[in-house]
Amino acid sequence: IGAPIFVVGTIYSWWPVINSTLVLKLAGTEGMGLYSMVLVAGGALDIVPMAVAQVIYPRMAEQYGKGSSVKEMMHLAWAPMLITVACLIPVVIAGWWLVGPAIRLLVSEYEAAVPAIQWSLLLPITNTLAVSNSIFNVIRRQDLYLLAILGGIAANGLGLIWLVRGQVTLVAFPQAMLIGRISFVVLCHIAIAFLMRHEKLHTTEVR
């Protein structure tokens, strides 16, 4: 049971590593140095969706053990996800406007990273909408989860190629990551919708 979860989780963890490697390759050591501040800013807000996921995951597993359907388990996730997104939006808006003055005041040598930091603040919102992905582990459908991950990574790569076609800029990397994450979330929810439809058809056939 744990092996597929471990393998797919490891592949998912490669995503930011691949992105950082591309930053180093295309933007050089100076660009990577600036991008480290982008990672810090985005990582700080990412704690929120991670905390929500840690609450939702065991509740989904408990409900699945009691015989709940995919649709019923998704009901557990929707309200926390939407509430968290609603809470994050004003924080992101405030951060977007305040990060520039804060960087110039505290660490002015990273001022060139400000636009990239601003875009990275949007990533936790998309990550919050991915909290429901715990369902793939609960019902042992890591195959669908893996396809969504690979689709997101591919969209990230294609987005980066499109954004840097003229000139490599640091802001292109969080923008491309955002394209990839949105694609990943959309693919995950399409897969969940497929699972719910398949479950409904199966229930109808049994009856």
Side-chain angles (χ1 to χ4, degrees):
I1 294 173
I5 296 174
F6 173 77
V7 171
V8 175
T10 301
I11 293 172
Y12 180 78
S13 69
W14 289 346
W15 192 346
V17 176
I18 293 170
N19 190 60
S20 296
T21 302
L22 289 172
V23 173
L24 181 60
K25 179 70 175 178
L26 298 176
T29 53
E30 182 179 351
M32 189 65 222
L34 292 170
Y35 198 72
S36 63
M37 188 61 70
V38 178
L39 296 175
V40 169
L45 279 183
D46 256 337
I47 293 173
V48 178
M50 288 173 61
V52 176
Q54 287 176 351
V55 174
I56 297 299
Y57 192 175
R59 290 186 63 191
M60 278 188 173
E62 180 185 7
Q63 290 301 311
Y64 186 63
K66 292 179 179 179
S68 294
S69 64
V70 172
K71 185 176 182 180
E72 289 170 334
M73 287 187 286
M74 279 300 295
H75 285 162
L76 290 172
W78 276 116
M81 285 195 304
L82 295 178
I83 291 170
T84 305
V85 167
C87 293
L88 278 176
I89 287 174
V91 174
V92 169
I93 292 173
W96 187 285
W97 293 106
L98 293 175
V99 67
I103 291 292
R104 284 189 287 272
L105 178 65
L106 300 174
V107 279
S108 57
E109 60 269 25
Y110 288 95
E111 185 175 357
V114 168
I117 294 172
Q118 290 173 321
W119 280 95
S120 73
L121 295 177
L122 298 174
L123 289 170
I125 294 178
T126 60
N127 292 340
T128 299
L129 294 173
V131 164
S132 56
N133 293 346
S134 297
I135 201 166
F136 295 113
N137 291 340
V138 172
I139 65 173
R140 295 202 230 171
R141 288 306 304 267
Q142 283 83 21
D143 54 335
L144 294 176
Y145 190 35
L146 178 59
L147 288 174
I149 292 170
L150 296 177
I153 293 174
N156 189 161
L158 292 172
L160 185 60
I161 291 171
W162 180 67
L163 290 166
V164 302
R165 64 193 185 283
Q167 180 182 4
V168 177
T169 58
L170 199 64
V171 74
F173 295 98
Q175 287 176 339
M177 178 66 83
L178 188 62
I179 292 171
R181 292 291 187 184
I182 291 173
S183 301
F184 164 65
V185 169
V186 170
L187 289 171
C188 284
H189 285 283
I190 289 174
I192 291 170
F194 165 78
L195 290 169
M196 286 192 290
R197 179 175 174 78
H198 177 74
E199 188 176 60
K200 182 179 180 181
L201 291 173
H202 178 70
T203 302
T204 303
E205 289 174 0
V206 171
R207 289 178 180 174

